[in-house]
Amino acid sequence: MRPNPQLTLLLAFLFSGFVINAQGIIEEDSDITPAHFDSSSQQLNFYSQQSSESLQSNQLNVVNRGVYINQIGNNNTSTVQTESQISDVELVQSGNSNKIDLDLKATAIDYTVLQQGNNNLLLEYNLFNNKQLIERSVEQNGNNQNLVIHGTNSIVDKMKIKMSEGSQSLIIRNTN
């Protein structure tokens, strides 16, 4: 039995016209304003999803405003330069001869790095201050991991990068 091409075309036309809409249920008593979030990460996430709303430092209850570096091993180096109203940068290096060099500019910065192994490299340079939020999580497990990020754009603003095994290199160049 051969399929009828006219019937197949009719069924395809009928099924393509259906649109499914879904709604979330919000209880009347729930308050989803930023002031009622439980943690600073929820507030940062809320503001990062709002494209037309300007991020103000007094609207967030961020406890960590600084750079925290934890190094275990020999010859580990970290150079961090941030220009922001709000920043939470946490760097952990466990191993030998790991290097982190960050130059970041944004209204809010939420950046976490974990380097476990030897001879790992992370370089990120964002020389323009036109971003509301840079939210990055980088994890390098293994030896000889190289990650270089130049610039920023909306695709990589919230990127989570995990490199494992060994001897991997990744270069991300962002142009607007």
Side-chain angles (χ1 to χ4, degrees):
M1 178 175 195
R2 278 184 45 196
N4 186 348
Q6 294 169 340
L7 180 61
T8 306
L9 183 62
L10 178 65
L11 288 175
F13 177 74
L14 287 175
F15 285 118
S16 67
F18 289 105
V19 176
I20 298 174
N21 291 322
Q23 291 180 325
I25 298 173
I26 299 176
E27 298 176 16
E28 286 184 32
D29 296 338
S30 66
D31 188 359
I32 58 170
T33 59
H36 291 88
F37 290 139
D38 294 331
S39 68
S40 61
S41 63
Q42 288 176 338
Q43 290 177 357
L44 284 173
N45 189 31
F46 174 80
Y47 277 111
S48 68
Q49 294 174 2
Q50 311 303 313
S51 60
S52 63
E53 198 168 335
S54 178
L55 185 65
Q56 301 296 322
S57 62
N58 61 356
Q59 294 176 307
L60 298 175
N61 296 324
V62 177
V63 177
N64 297 332
R65 291 183 185 220
V67 177
Y68 302 93
I69 301 172
N70 184 2
Q71 295 176 320
I72 302 170
N74 297 315
N75 301 319
N76 292 320
T77 60
S78 296
T79 305
V80 179
Q81 183 173 337
T82 63
E83 185 178 317
S84 66
Q85 294 176 8
I86 301 166
S87 65
D88 183 8
V89 179
E90 298 179 32
L91 310 177
V92 177
Q93 294 175 309
S94 178
N96 298 315
S97 301
N98 294 310
K99 180 179 180 181
I100 298 173
D101 190 358
L102 303 176
D103 190 352
L104 307 172
K105 294 179 183 178
T107 304
I109 299 170
D110 185 10
Y111 208 106
T112 305
V113 178
L114 172 63
Q115 289 181 325
Q116 294 181 316
N118 301 317
N119 301 313
N120 293 316
L121 172 69
L122 169 62
L123 303 175
E124 180 162 358
Y125 303 107
N126 173 20
L127 303 177
F128 303 104
N129 191 11
N130 59 353
K131 288 295 165 187
Q132 289 289 315
L133 173 67
I134 296 176
E135 183 178 1
R136 181 108 56 247
S137 175
V138 176
E139 187 175 329
Q140 294 177 317
N141 295 311
N143 298 323
N144 304 310
Q145 306 284 354
N146 297 308
L147 175 60
V148 179
I149 302 173
H150 294 281
T152 185
N153 62 24
S154 61
I155 297 172
V156 300
D157 283 347
K158 294 177 155 187
M159 187 173 282
K160 295 181 180 183
I161 301 169
K162 183 175 182 179
M163 302 173 77
S164 51
E165 300 301 322
S167 300
Q168 295 177 338
S169 293
L170 177 62
I171 299 172
I172 300 172
R173 291 188 181 112
N174 299 301
T175 57
N176 295 334

